[in-house]
């Protein structure tokens, strides 16, 4: 019976958390980029370099997400702790799989906006997708806090040190 996430699964989880938060938090310049790009105006070199960094980080997230999905299918995940009520197990499963879906869909929408100048993809990327990702991350963090301090389970350890 699997008791913790494998080392590759743990490394990818934390690497992706950093990269996703980077793209979510440091994306102000993308609003400027979007206005200029879709308004057919010249893009200053500093805005262009920041936009390139955002795009490359986003593509790295997509590559890591696909790797992670393969690892998840091949290696599975530890069972939900018994202390967690059935309803929350259900919520956690939905949130986890929605996160997997979002970090595949969101980069594709970004690629559509950036490389194909598709305004529908751009609208979705900066609209419902951004909101959905923040909501899912918020729920995820609330879940981790509830496990750590309310149900007092070992889930944080199985995603960090691996000791259970
Ligand atoms: C999971 C990965 C990604 C996240 C979390 C993310 C997040 C964001 C956020 C928060 C914004 C700004 C929204 C706002 O105006 O408030 C944005 C804009 C943008 N992103 Fe991403 N992004 C990701 C991947 C990508 C990728 C892979 C590309 C391109 C290859 C990309 C291209 C763009 C573009 C072109 C905009 C500006 C769109 C516009 O304003 O019309 N993003 N992104
Ligand atoms: C952008 C940020 C994050 C994203 C997108 C994310 C995503 C995910 C996903 C999809 C899973 C499910 C793994 C699976 O079942 O295959 C997971 C598990 C987990 N995450 Fe995160 N995470 C983020 C940040 C964090 C942070 C900041 C913490 C700690 C405070 C954390 C703690 C955990 C823990 C403890 C698990 C394991 C849950 C279990 O054992 O069932 N995550 N994360």
């Amino acid at each position: 019976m699997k008791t913790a996430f494998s080392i590759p699964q743990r490394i990818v989880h934390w690497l992706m958390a950093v990269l996703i938060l980077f793209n979510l938090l440091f994306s102000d310049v993308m609003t400027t980029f979007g206005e200029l790009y879709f308004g057919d105006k010249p893009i200053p070199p500093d805005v262009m370099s920041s936009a390139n960094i955002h795009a490359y980080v986003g593509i790295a997230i997509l590559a890591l997400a696909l790797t992670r999905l393969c690892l998840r299918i091949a290696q599975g995940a530890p069972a939900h702790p018994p202390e967690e009520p059935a309803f929350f197990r259900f919520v956690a499963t939905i949130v986890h799989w929605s996160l997997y879906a979002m970090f595949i869909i969101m980069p594709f929408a970004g690629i559509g906006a950036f490389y194909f100048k598709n305004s529908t993809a751009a609208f979705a990327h900066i609209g419902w997708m951004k909101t959905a990702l923040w909501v899912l991350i918020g729920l995820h963090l609330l879940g981790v806090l509830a496990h750590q301090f309310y149900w007092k389970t070992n889930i944080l350890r199985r995603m960090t040190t691996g000791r259970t």
Side-chain angles (χ1 to χ4, degrees), residues 5 9 13-14 16-17 20-21 68 72 77-78 96 99-100 103 137 140-141 144 155-156 158-159:
F5 287 92
Q9 281 178 312
H13 173 272
W14 293 109
M16 283 188 72
I20 288 174
L21 288 174
R68 182 172 181 178
R72 180 65 160 79
H96 287 166
L99 279 168
Y100 273 92
F103 41 59
I137 292 172
H140 185 54
L141 294 182
V144 175
I155 61 139
L156 201 51
R158 57 195 208 175
M159 195 45 116

Side-chain angles (χ1 to χ4, degrees), residues 65-118:
L66 297 175
T67 310
R68 182 172 181 178
L69 191 60
C70 294
L71 282 172
R72 180 65 160 79
I73 292 166
Q75 304 181 328
H80 293 269
E83 296 86 342
E84 187 182 31
F87 172 72
F88 289 99
R89 282 182 216 184
F90 172 72
V91 173
T93 307
I94 303 271
V95 170
H96 287 166
W97 288 110
S98 307
L99 279 168
Y100 273 92
M102 281 316 298
F103 41 59
I104 292 173
I105 298 169
M106 191 151 182
F108 272 118
I111 289 170
F114 192 70
Y115 296 110
F116 300 95
K117 219 175 183 174
N118 184 307

Side-chain angles (χ1 to χ4, degrees), residues 134-163:
W134 272 123
V135 169
L136 289 168
I137 292 172
L139 290 172
H140 185 54
L141 294 182
L142 283 176
V144 175
L145 286 175
H147 272 276
Q148 192 67 16
F149 300 110
Y150 187 69
W151 296 310
K152 299 197 171 32
T153 67
N154 63 355
I155 61 139
L156 201 51
R157 284 202 299 279
R158 57 195 208 175
M159 195 45 116
T160 49
T161 60
R163 279 201 298 274

Side-chain angles (χ1 to χ4, degrees), residues 30-86:
M30 293 314 285
T31 313
T32 316
F33 172 83
E35 279 163 16
L36 297 171
Y37 186 52
F38 287 100
D40 290 320
K41 301 210 175 77
I43 298 161
D46 57 329
V47 174
M48 197 61 227
S49 351
S50 302
N52 276 324
I53 294 172
H54 181 90
Y56 297 147
V57 169
I59 291 167
I61 293 168
L62 175 61
L64 287 167
L66 297 175
T67 310
R68 182 172 181 178
L69 191 60
C70 294
L71 282 172
R72 180 65 160 79
I73 292 166
Q75 304 181 328
H80 293 269
E83 296 86 342
E84 187 182 31

